[in-house]
Amino acid sequence: MDSENKILIKNSNSILLQLKKISIEIIVIVFSVYVSIWLTNKNEHNKEQKDTKAFLTDLKIDLEQDIKNINEEIIITERTYTSLTTLLNITKEQAKYSPTIELKIALSIRKNNEANYEGFKSSGKISNIENRKLRKDIISYYQENLTVTTELEKESNKYKIEIIETLGGNNFKTNTLENSTFRTKLDLFKQLTYTLNENYKLDIAEAKKIIKQIDSYNK
């Protein structure tokens, strides 16, 4: 009887030992799988962030070029605004001594530098920018700020063409200003020029803010 009990105890200990070994093996396998998945995800995340930072570096260059181009447009719009103000303030008496109008107007041919943004957005990687505010500001800048600016520039160019055609049709004579419809158009164009100029300044401020965030993100 004692011999049988010893055999049972021995077999029981053997089974427990086997179960313990199996449990350890399972834990090791599970842990290994977990570590493998974690390393894979980490490597993928690191690659995504590397690509994201490269994109932001290119975007910063685009924004700096935007600032340069917009500053040039601000100079033009401010000159145009001053010219329009002077033109609208010409009296009939002054017109006698200035029979023709000198008005220099240049069409806006500025282009938005948005190829890098559009490419990154279309790839579905824009969400890889982990800073939510930076991501939101970038999207807002390209899809809202620049969209409004572009539309204002188109409207401004439309006014410029109509004004030049009207003046040219009357050989740029000062008495063209006596036409109330034309004066109204000049006044509307003046207001549009002011609005466009203010919008340019907002775009520059927004671009500078994004550049500052990019520098912080890419550290």
Coordinates of all heavy atoms in Angstrom, one line a residue, residues 85-170:
T85 N -6.4 105.5 -53.7 CA -6.8 106.6 -52.8 C -6.6 107.9 -53.4 O -7.4 108.8 -53.4 CB -6.1 106.5 -51.5 OG1 -6.3 105.2 -50.8 CG2 -6.5 107.6 -50.5
T86 N -5.4 108.1 -54.0 CA -5.0 109.3 -54.7 C -5.9 109.6 -55.9 O -6.4 110.7 -56.1 CB -3.5 109.2 -55.2 OG1 -2.7 109.0 -54.1 CG2 -3.1 110.5 -55.9
L87 N -6.2 108.5 -56.6 CA -7.1 108.7 -57.8 C -8.5 109.1 -57.4 O -9.0 110.0 -58.1 CB -7.1 107.3 -58.5 CG -7.5 107.3 -60.0 CD1 -6.5 108.1 -60.8 CD2 -7.5 105.9 -60.5
L88 N -9.0 108.5 -56.4 CA -10.4 108.8 -56.0 C -10.5 110.2 -55.4 O -11.6 110.8 -55.3 CB -10.9 107.8 -55.0 CG -11.2 106.4 -55.6 CD1 -11.4 105.4 -54.6 CD2 -12.5 106.5 -56.5
N89 N -9.3 110.8 -54.9 CA -9.3 112.1 -54.3 C -9.1 113.2 -55.3 O -9.0 114.4 -54.9 CB -8.3 112.1 -53.2 CG -8.7 111.3 -51.9 OD1 -9.9 111.1 -51.7 ND2 -7.8 110.9 -51.2
I90 N -8.9 112.9 -56.5 CA -8.6 113.9 -57.6 C -9.9 114.8 -57.8 O -11.0 114.2 -58.0 CB -8.2 113.3 -58.9 CG1 -6.8 112.7 -58.8 CG2 -8.2 114.4 -60.0 CD1 -6.3 112.0 -60.0
T91 N -9.8 116.0 -57.6 CA -10.9 117.0 -57.8 C -11.0 117.4 -59.3 O -10.1 117.2 -60.1 CB -10.8 118.2 -57.0 OG1 -9.6 118.9 -57.4 CG2 -10.6 117.8 -55.5
K92 N -12.1 118.0 -59.7 CA -12.3 118.4 -61.1 C -11.2 119.5 -61.4 O -10.7 119.5 -62.5 CB -13.7 119.0 -61.3 CG -14.8 117.9 -61.3 CD -16.1 118.5 -61.6 CE -17.2 117.5 -61.7 NZ -18.5 118.0 -62.0
E93 N -10.9 120.3 -60.4 CA -9.9 121.3 -60.6 C -8.5 120.7 -60.9 O -7.8 121.2 -61.8 CB -9.8 122.2 -59.4 CG -9.0 123.5 -59.6 CD -9.5 124.4 -60.6 OE1 -10.8 124.4 -60.9 OE2 -8.7 125.2 -61.2
Q94 N -8.2 119.7 -60.1 CA -6.9 119.0 -60.3 C -6.9 118.3 -61.7 O -5.8 118.2 -62.3 CB -6.7 118.0 -59.2 CG -6.4 118.7 -57.8 CD -6.3 117.7 -56.7 OE1 -7.1 116.7 -56.7 NE2 -5.5 117.9 -55.7
A95 N -8.0 117.8 -62.1 CA -8.1 117.0 -63.3 C -7.8 117.9 -64.5 O -7.3 117.4 -65.5 CB -9.5 116.4 -63.5
K96 N -8.0 119.2 -64.4 CA -7.7 120.1 -65.5 C -6.2 120.1 -65.8 O -5.8 120.3 -67.0 CB -8.2 121.5 -65.2 CG -9.7 121.7 -65.1 CD -10.1 123.1 -64.7 CE -11.6 123.3 -64.5 NZ -11.9 124.7 -64.1
Y97 N -5.4 120.0 -64.8 CA -4.0 120.0 -64.9 C -3.3 118.6 -65.1 O -2.1 118.5 -65.4 CB -3.3 120.7 -63.7 CG -3.9 122.1 -63.5 CD1 -4.9 122.3 -62.6 CD2 -3.4 123.2 -64.2 CE1 -5.4 123.6 -62.3 CE2 -3.9 124.5 -64.0 CZ -4.9 124.7 -63.1 OH -5.4 126.0 -62.9
S98 N -4.2 117.6 -65.0 CA -3.7 116.2 -65.2 C -4.7 115.5 -66.1 O -5.6 114.8 -65.7 CB -3.6 115.5 -63.9 OG -2.7 116.1 -63.0
P99 N -4.6 115.8 -67.4 CA -5.6 115.3 -68.4 C -5.6 113.8 -68.5 O -6.6 113.2 -68.9 CB -5.2 115.9 -69.7 CG -3.7 116.2 -69.5 CD -3.6 116.6 -68.1
T100 N -4.5 113.1 -68.2 CA -4.5 111.6 -68.3 C -4.2 111.0 -66.9 O -3.6 111.6 -66.0 CB -3.5 111.2 -69.3 OG1 -2.2 111.6 -68.9 CG2 -3.8 111.7 -70.7
I101 N -4.6 109.8 -66.8 CA -4.4 109.0 -65.5 C -3.2 108.1 -65.7 O -3.1 107.4 -66.6 CB -5.7 108.2 -65.2 CG1 -6.8 109.1 -64.9 CG2 -5.4 107.3 -64.0 CD1 -8.1 108.4 -64.7
E102 N -2.4 108.1 -64.7 CA -1.3 107.2 -64.6 C -1.6 106.2 -63.5 O -1.5 106.5 -62.3 CB 0.1 107.9 -64.3 CG 0.5 108.7 -65.5 CD 1.9 109.3 -65.3 OE1 2.6 108.8 -64.3 OE2 2.3 110.2 -66.0
L103 N -1.9 105.0 -63.9 CA -2.2 104.0 -62.9 C -1.5 102.6 -63.2 O -1.8 102.0 -64.3 CB -3.7 103.8 -62.8 CG -4.2 102.7 -61.8 CD1 -3.9 103.1 -60.4 CD2 -5.7 102.5 -61.9
K104 N -0.6 102.2 -62.4 CA 0.2 101.0 -62.7 C -0.5 99.9 -61.9 O -0.5 99.9 -60.6 CB 1.6 101.1 -62.3 CG 2.4 102.1 -63.2 CD 3.9 102.2 -62.7 CE 4.6 103.2 -63.6 NZ 6.0 103.3 -63.2
I105 N -1.0 98.9 -62.6 CA -1.6 97.8 -62.0 C -1.0 96.5 -62.5 O -0.9 96.3 -63.7 CB -3.1 97.7 -62.2 CG1 -3.8 99.0 -61.5 CG2 -3.8 96.5 -61.7 CD1 -5.3 99.0 -61.7
A106 N -0.6 95.6 -61.6 CA 0.0 94.3 -62.0 C -0.9 93.2 -61.5 O -1.4 93.2 -60.4 CB 1.4 94.2 -61.4
L107 N -1.2 92.2 -62.4 CA -2.0 91.1 -62.1 C -1.2 90.2 -61.1 O 0.0 90.0 -61.3 CB -2.4 90.3 -63.3 CG -3.3 91.0 -64.3 CD1 -3.6 90.1 -65.5 CD2 -4.6 91.4 -63.7
S108 N -1.9 89.6 -60.2 CA -1.3 88.7 -59.2 C -1.1 87.3 -59.9 O -2.0 86.7 -60.4 CB -2.2 88.5 -58.0 OG -1.6 87.6 -57.1
I109 N 0.2 86.9 -59.9 CA 0.5 85.6 -60.5 C 1.1 84.6 -59.4 O 1.7 83.6 -59.7 CB 1.4 85.7 -61.7 CG1 2.7 86.4 -61.2 CG2 0.8 86.4 -62.8 CD1 3.8 86.4 -62.3
R110 N 0.9 85.0 -58.1 CA 1.4 84.2 -57.0 C 0.8 82.8 -57.0 O -0.4 82.7 -57.2 CB 1.1 84.9 -55.7 CG 1.8 84.3 -54.5 CD 1.2 84.9 -53.2 NE -0.2 84.5 -53.1 CZ -0.6 83.3 -52.6 NH1 0.3 82.4 -52.1 NH2 -1.9 83.1 -52.5
K111 N 1.6 81.8 -56.7 CA 1.1 80.5 -56.6 C 1.4 79.9 -55.2 O 2.4 80.2 -54.6 CB 1.8 79.6 -57.7 CG 1.6 79.9 -59.1 CD 0.2 79.7 -59.5 CE -0.1 80.1 -61.0 NZ -1.5 79.9 -61.4
N112 N 0.4 79.2 -54.7 CA 0.6 78.5 -53.4 C 1.5 77.4 -53.5 O 1.4 76.6 -54.5 CB -0.8 78.0 -52.9 CG -1.8 79.1 -52.7 OD1 -1.4 80.2 -52.3 ND2 -3.0 78.8 -52.9
N113 N 2.5 77.3 -52.6 CA 3.4 76.1 -52.6 C 2.8 75.0 -51.8 O 3.0 74.9 -50.6 CB 4.7 76.6 -51.9 CG 5.5 77.6 -52.8 OD1 5.9 77.3 -53.9 ND2 5.5 78.8 -52.3
E114 N 2.0 74.2 -52.4 CA 1.2 73.2 -51.7 C 1.3 71.8 -52.2 O 0.6 70.9 -51.7 CB -0.3 73.6 -51.7 CG -0.8 73.8 -53.1 CD -2.2 74.4 -53.1 OE1 -2.7 74.8 -52.0 OE2 -2.8 74.5 -54.2
A115 N 2.3 71.5 -53.1 CA 2.5 70.2 -53.6 C 2.9 69.2 -52.5 O 2.4 68.1 -52.5 CB 3.6 70.2 -54.7
N116 N 3.8 69.6 -51.6 CA 4.2 68.7 -50.5 C 3.0 68.4 -49.6 O 2.8 67.2 -49.2 CB 5.3 69.3 -49.7 CG 6.7 69.2 -50.4 OD1 7.0 68.2 -50.9 ND2 7.4 70.3 -50.4
Y117 N 2.2 69.4 -49.3 CA 1.1 69.2 -48.4 C 0.1 68.3 -49.1 O -0.4 67.3 -48.4 CB 0.4 70.5 -48.1 CG -0.9 70.4 -47.5 CD1 -1.1 70.0 -46.1 CD2 -2.1 70.6 -48.2 CE1 -2.3 69.8 -45.6 CE2 -3.4 70.4 -47.6 CZ -3.5 70.0 -46.3 OH -4.7 69.8 -45.8
E118 N -0.3 68.5 -50.3 CA -1.3 67.7 -51.0 C -0.8 66.3 -51.1 O -1.6 65.4 -51.0 CB -1.5 68.3 -52.4 CG -2.3 69.7 -52.4 CD -3.7 69.5 -51.8 OE1 -4.2 68.4 -51.8 OE2 -4.2 70.6 -51.3
G119 N 0.5 66.1 -51.4 CA 1.0 64.7 -51.6 C 0.9 64.0 -50.3 O 0.5 62.8 -50.2
F120 N 1.3 64.6 -49.2 CA 1.3 64.0 -47.8 C -0.2 63.7 -47.4 O -0.5 62.6 -46.8 CB 2.0 64.8 -46.8 CG 2.4 64.1 -45.6 CD1 3.5 63.2 -45.6 CD2 1.8 64.3 -44.4 CE1 3.9 62.6 -44.5 CE2 2.3 63.7 -43.2 CZ 3.3 62.8 -43.3
K121 N -1.0 64.6 -47.7 CA -2.4 64.5 -47.3 C -3.1 63.3 -48.1 O -3.8 62.5 -47.5 CB -3.2 65.8 -47.6 CG -4.7 65.7 -47.1 CD -5.4 67.0 -47.5 CE -5.7 67.0 -48.9 NZ -6.7 68.1 -49.3
S122 N -2.8 63.3 -49.4 CA -3.4 62.2 -50.2 C -2.9 60.8 -49.9 O -3.6 59.9 -50.2 CB -3.2 62.5 -51.7 OG -1.8 62.5 -52.0
S123 N -1.7 60.8 -49.3 CA -1.2 59.5 -48.9 C -1.8 59.0 -47.6 O -1.6 57.8 -47.2 CB 0.3 59.6 -48.7 OG 0.6 60.4 -47.6
G124 N -2.6 59.8 -47.0 CA -3.3 59.5 -45.7 C -2.4 59.5 -44.5 O -2.7 59.0 -43.5
K125 N -1.3 60.2 -44.7 CA -0.3 60.2 -43.6 C -0.4 61.5 -42.7 O 0.4 61.6 -41.7 CB 1.1 60.1 -44.1 CG 1.4 58.8 -44.8 CD 2.8 58.7 -45.4 CE 3.1 57.4 -46.1 NZ 4.5 57.4 -46.6
I126 N -1.3 62.3 -43.0 CA -1.4 63.6 -42.3 C -1.6 63.3 -40.8 O -1.2 64.1 -39.9 CB -2.4 64.5 -42.9 CG1 -2.2 66.0 -42.4 CG2 -3.8 64.0 -42.5 CD1 -1.1 66.6 -43.1
S127 N -2.3 62.2 -40.5 CA -2.6 61.9 -39.1 C -1.4 61.4 -38.3 O -1.5 61.3 -37.1 CB -3.7 60.8 -39.1 OG -3.3 59.6 -39.7
N128 N -0.3 61.2 -39.0 CA 0.9 60.7 -38.4 C 1.6 61.9 -37.6 O 2.5 61.7 -36.8 CB 1.9 60.2 -39.4 CG 1.5 58.8 -39.9 OD1 0.6 58.2 -39.3 ND2 2.0 58.4 -41.0
I129 N 1.1 63.1 -37.9 CA 1.6 64.3 -37.1 C 1.0 64.2 -35.7 O -0.3 64.4 -35.6 CB 1.2 65.6 -37.8 CG1 1.9 65.7 -39.2 CG2 1.7 66.8 -37.0 CD1 1.4 66.9 -40.0
E130 N 1.7 63.8 -34.7 CA 1.2 63.5 -33.4 C 0.7 64.8 -32.6 O -0.1 64.6 -31.7 CB 2.2 62.7 -32.6 CG 2.4 61.3 -33.3 CD 3.4 60.5 -32.5 OE1 4.2 61.1 -31.7 OE2 3.4 59.3 -32.6
N131 N 1.3 65.9 -33.0 CA 0.9 67.1 -32.3 C -0.4 67.6 -33.0 O -0.5 68.1 -34.1 CB 2.0 68.2 -32.5 CG 1.6 69.5 -31.7 OD1 0.5 70.0 -31.8 ND2 2.6 70.0 -31.0
R132 N -1.5 67.5 -32.2 CA -2.8 67.8 -32.7 C -3.0 69.2 -33.2 O -3.6 69.5 -34.3 CB -3.9 67.4 -31.7 CG -5.3 67.6 -32.2 CD -6.3 67.2 -31.1 NE -7.7 67.3 -31.6 CZ -8.7 67.1 -30.8 NH1 -8.6 66.7 -29.5 NH2 -9.9 67.2 -31.3
K133 N -2.4 70.1 -32.4 CA -2.6 71.6 -32.8 C -1.8 71.9 -34.1 O -2.3 72.6 -34.9 CB -2.0 72.4 -31.6 CG -2.3 73.9 -31.9 CD -1.8 74.8 -30.7 CE -2.2 76.2 -30.9 NZ -1.7 76.8 -32.2
L134 N -0.6 71.3 -34.2 CA 0.2 71.5 -35.4 C -0.5 71.0 -36.6 O -0.6 71.6 -37.7 CB 1.6 70.8 -35.3 CG 2.5 70.8 -36.5 CD1 2.7 72.2 -37.0 CD2 3.8 70.1 -36.2
R135 N -1.1 69.8 -36.5 CA -1.8 69.1 -37.6 C -3.0 70.0 -38.0 O -3.3 70.2 -39.2 CB -2.3 67.7 -37.1 CG -3.0 67.0 -38.2 CD -3.3 65.5 -37.8 NE -4.2 65.4 -36.7 CZ -3.9 65.0 -35.5 NH1 -2.7 64.6 -35.3 NH2 -4.8 64.9 -34.6
K136 N -3.8 70.5 -37.0 CA -4.9 71.3 -37.2 C -4.6 72.6 -37.9 O -5.2 73.1 -38.8 CB -5.7 71.6 -35.9 CG -6.9 72.4 -36.0 CD -7.6 72.5 -34.6 CE -8.8 73.4 -34.7 NZ -8.5 74.8 -35.0
D137 N -3.5 73.2 -37.4 CA -3.0 74.5 -38.0 C -2.6 74.4 -39.5 O -2.9 75.2 -40.3 CB -1.9 75.1 -37.2 CG -2.4 75.7 -35.8 OD1 -3.6 75.9 -35.7 OD2 -1.6 75.9 -35.0
I138 N -1.9 73.3 -39.8 CA -1.5 73.0 -41.1 C -2.7 72.9 -42.1 O -2.7 73.5 -43.1 CB -0.5 71.8 -41.2 CG1 0.8 72.1 -40.5 CG2 -0.3 71.3 -42.6 CD1 1.7 70.8 -40.4
I139 N -3.6 72.0 -41.6 CA -4.8 71.8 -42.5 C -5.6 73.1 -42.7 O -6.0 73.4 -43.8 CB -5.7 70.7 -41.8 CG1 -5.0 69.4 -41.8 CG2 -7.0 70.6 -42.5 CD1 -5.7 68.3 -41.1
S140 N -5.7 73.9 -41.6 CA -6.4 75.2 -41.6 C -5.7 76.1 -42.6 O -6.4 76.8 -43.4 CB -6.5 75.8 -40.2 OG -7.2 77.0 -40.3
Y141 N -4.4 76.2 -42.5 CA -3.6 77.1 -43.4 C -3.8 76.8 -44.8 O -4.1 77.7 -45.6 CB -2.1 77.0 -43.0 CG -1.2 77.8 -43.9 CD1 -1.1 79.2 -43.7 CD2 -0.5 77.2 -44.9 CE1 -0.3 80.0 -44.5 CE2 0.3 78.0 -45.7 CZ 0.4 79.3 -45.5 OH 1.3 80.1 -46.4
Y142 N -3.7 75.5 -45.2 CA -3.9 75.2 -46.6 C -5.3 75.1 -47.2 O -5.6 75.5 -48.3 CB -3.1 73.9 -46.9 CG -1.6 74.0 -47.0 CD1 -0.9 73.7 -45.8 CD2 -1.0 74.5 -48.1 CE1 0.5 73.9 -45.9 CE2 0.4 74.6 -48.1 CZ 1.1 74.3 -47.0 OH 2.5 74.5 -47.1
Q143 N -6.2 74.7 -46.3 CA -7.6 74.5 -46.8 C -8.5 75.6 -46.5 O -9.6 75.7 -47.1 CB -8.2 73.2 -46.2 CG -7.4 71.9 -46.6 CD -8.1 70.6 -46.2 OE1 -7.5 69.6 -46.3 NE2 -9.3 70.7 -45.7
E144 N -8.1 76.5 -45.6 CA -8.9 77.7 -45.3 C -8.2 79.0 -45.7 O -8.7 79.7 -46.6 CB -9.3 77.7 -43.9 CG -10.2 76.5 -43.5 CD -10.5 76.5 -42.0 OE1 -10.3 77.5 -41.3 OE2 -10.9 75.4 -41.5
N145 N -7.1 79.3 -45.0 CA -6.4 80.5 -45.3 C -6.0 80.8 -46.7 O -6.4 81.8 -47.3 CB -5.1 80.6 -44.4 CG -5.4 80.7 -42.9 OD1 -6.0 79.8 -42.3 ND2 -5.0 81.8 -42.3
L146 N -5.3 79.8 -47.3 CA -4.8 80.0 -48.7 C -6.0 80.0 -49.7 O -5.9 80.6 -50.8 CB -3.8 79.0 -49.1 CG -2.4 79.1 -48.4 CD1 -1.4 78.2 -48.9 CD2 -1.9 80.6 -48.5
T147 N -7.0 79.2 -49.4 CA -8.2 79.1 -50.2 C -8.9 80.5 -50.3 O -9.2 81.0 -51.4 CB -9.2 78.1 -49.7 OG1 -8.6 76.8 -49.7 CG2 -10.4 78.1 -50.6
V148 N -9.0 81.2 -49.2 CA -9.6 82.5 -49.2 C -8.7 83.5 -49.9 O -9.2 84.3 -50.7 CB -9.8 83.0 -47.7 CG1 -10.3 84.4 -47.7 CG2 -10.9 82.1 -47.0
T149 N -7.4 83.4 -49.7 CA -6.5 84.3 -50.3 C -6.5 84.2 -51.8 O -6.5 85.2 -52.6 CB -5.1 84.1 -49.8 OG1 -5.0 84.3 -48.4 CG2 -4.1 85.0 -50.5
T150 N -6.5 82.9 -52.3 CA -6.6 82.7 -53.7 C -7.8 83.3 -54.4 O -7.8 83.8 -55.5 CB -6.5 81.2 -54.0 OG1 -5.3 80.6 -53.5 CG2 -6.5 80.9 -55.5
E151 N -9.0 83.1 -53.7 CA -10.2 83.6 -54.2 C -10.2 85.2 -54.3 O -10.7 85.8 -55.2 CB -11.4 83.1 -53.4 CG -11.7 81.7 -53.6 CD -12.0 81.3 -55.0 OE1 -12.8 82.0 -55.7 OE2 -11.4 80.3 -55.5
L152 N -9.6 85.8 -53.2 CA -9.5 87.2 -53.2 C -8.6 87.7 -54.3 O -8.9 88.8 -55.0 CB -9.0 87.7 -51.9 CG -9.9 87.6 -50.7 CD1 -9.2 87.9 -49.4 CD2 -11.1 88.6 -50.8
E153 N -7.5 87.0 -54.6 CA -6.6 87.4 -55.7 C -7.3 87.3 -57.0 O -7.1 88.1 -57.9 CB -5.4 86.5 -55.6 CG -4.4 86.8 -54.5 CD -3.3 85.8 -54.4 OE1 -3.5 84.6 -54.8 OE2 -2.2 86.2 -53.8
K154 N -8.1 86.2 -57.2 CA -8.8 86.1 -58.5 C -9.8 87.2 -58.7 O -9.9 87.8 -59.8 CB -9.6 84.7 -58.5 CG -8.7 83.5 -58.6 CD -9.6 82.3 -58.6 CE -8.8 81.0 -58.7 NZ -9.6 79.8 -58.6
E155 N -10.5 87.6 -57.6 CA -11.5 88.7 -57.7 C -10.7 90.0 -57.9 O -11.2 90.9 -58.7 CB -12.3 88.8 -56.4 CG -13.5 89.7 -56.4 CD -14.5 89.3 -57.4 OE1 -14.6 88.1 -57.7 OE2 -15.4 90.1 -57.7
S156 N -9.6 90.2 -57.3 CA -8.8 91.4 -57.5 C -8.3 91.5 -58.9 O -8.4 92.6 -59.5 CB -7.6 91.3 -56.6 OG -6.7 92.5 -56.8
N157 N -7.8 90.4 -59.5 CA -7.4 90.4 -60.9 C -8.5 90.7 -61.9 O -8.4 91.4 -62.9 CB -6.8 89.0 -61.3 CG -5.4 88.8 -60.8 OD1 -4.7 89.8 -60.5 ND2 -4.9 87.6 -60.7
K158 N -9.7 90.3 -61.5 CA -10.9 90.6 -62.3 C -11.2 92.1 -62.3 O -11.4 92.7 -63.4 CB -12.1 89.8 -61.7 CG -13.4 90.0 -62.5 CD -14.5 89.3 -61.8 CE -15.9 89.6 -62.5 NZ -17.0 88.9 -61.8
Y159 N -11.1 92.7 -61.2 CA -11.3 94.1 -61.1 C -10.2 94.9 -61.8 O -10.5 95.9 -62.5 CB -11.3 94.6 -59.6 CG -12.6 94.6 -58.9 CD1 -13.0 93.6 -58.1 CD2 -13.5 95.7 -59.1 CE1 -14.3 93.6 -57.5 CE2 -14.7 95.8 -58.5 CZ -15.1 94.7 -57.7 OH -16.4 94.8 -57.1
K160 N -9.0 94.4 -61.7 CA -7.9 95.1 -62.4 C -8.1 95.1 -63.9 O -7.9 96.2 -64.6 CB -6.6 94.4 -62.1 CG -6.1 94.6 -60.7 CD -4.9 93.7 -60.4 CE -4.4 93.8 -58.9 NZ -3.3 93.0 -58.6
I161 N -8.5 94.0 -64.5 CA -8.7 93.9 -65.9 C -9.9 94.8 -66.3 O -9.7 95.6 -67.3 CB -9.1 92.4 -66.3 CG1 -7.8 91.6 -66.1 CG2 -9.5 92.4 -67.8 CD1 -8.1 90.1 -66.3
E162 N -11.0 94.8 -65.6 CA -12.1 95.7 -65.9 C -11.7 97.2 -65.8 O -12.1 98.0 -66.7 CB -13.3 95.4 -64.9 CG -13.9 94.0 -65.1 CD -15.0 93.7 -64.1 OE1 -15.2 94.5 -63.2 OE2 -15.6 92.7 -64.3
I163 N -10.9 97.5 -64.8 CA -10.5 98.9 -64.7 C -9.6 99.4 -65.8 O -9.8 100.5 -66.4 CB -9.9 99.2 -63.3 CG1 -10.9 99.1 -62.2 CG2 -9.1 100.5 -63.2 CD1 -10.3 99.0 -60.8
I164 N -8.7 98.6 -66.1 CA -7.7 98.9 -67.2 C -8.5 99.0 -68.6 O -8.2 99.9 -69.4 CB -6.6 97.8 -67.3 CG1 -5.7 97.9 -66.1 CG2 -5.8 98.0 -68.6 CD1 -5.0 99.3 -66.0
E165 N -9.4 98.1 -68.8 CA -10.2 98.1 -70.0 C -11.0 99.4 -70.1 O -11.1 100.0 -71.2 CB -11.1 96.9 -70.1 CG -10.4 95.6 -70.4 CD -11.3 94.4 -70.4 OE1 -12.5 94.5 -69.9 OE2 -10.9 93.3 -70.9
T166 N -11.6 99.8 -69.0 CA -12.4 101.0 -68.9 C -11.6 102.3 -69.2 O -11.9 103.1 -70.0 CB -13.2 101.2 -67.6 OG1 -14.0 100.1 -67.4 CG2 -14.0 102.5 -67.6
L167 N -10.4 102.3 -68.5 CA -9.5 103.5 -68.7 C -8.9 103.5 -70.1 O -8.9 104.5 -70.8 CB -8.4 103.4 -67.7 CG -8.7 103.7 -66.2 CD1 -7.5 103.4 -65.3 CD2 -9.1 105.2 -66.1
G168 N -8.6 102.3 -70.6 CA -8.0 102.2 -72.0 C -9.0 102.6 -73.0 O -8.6 103.2 -74.0
G169 N -10.3 102.3 -72.7 CA -11.3 102.6 -73.7 C -11.5 104.1 -73.8 O -12.1 104.6 -74.8
N170 N -11.1 104.9 -72.8 CA -11.2 106.3 -72.9 C -9.8 107.0 -72.9 O -9.6 108.1 -72.5 CB -12.0 106.8 -71.6 CG -12.5 108.2 -71.8 OD1 -12.8 108.7 -72.9 ND2 -12.5 109.0 -70.7

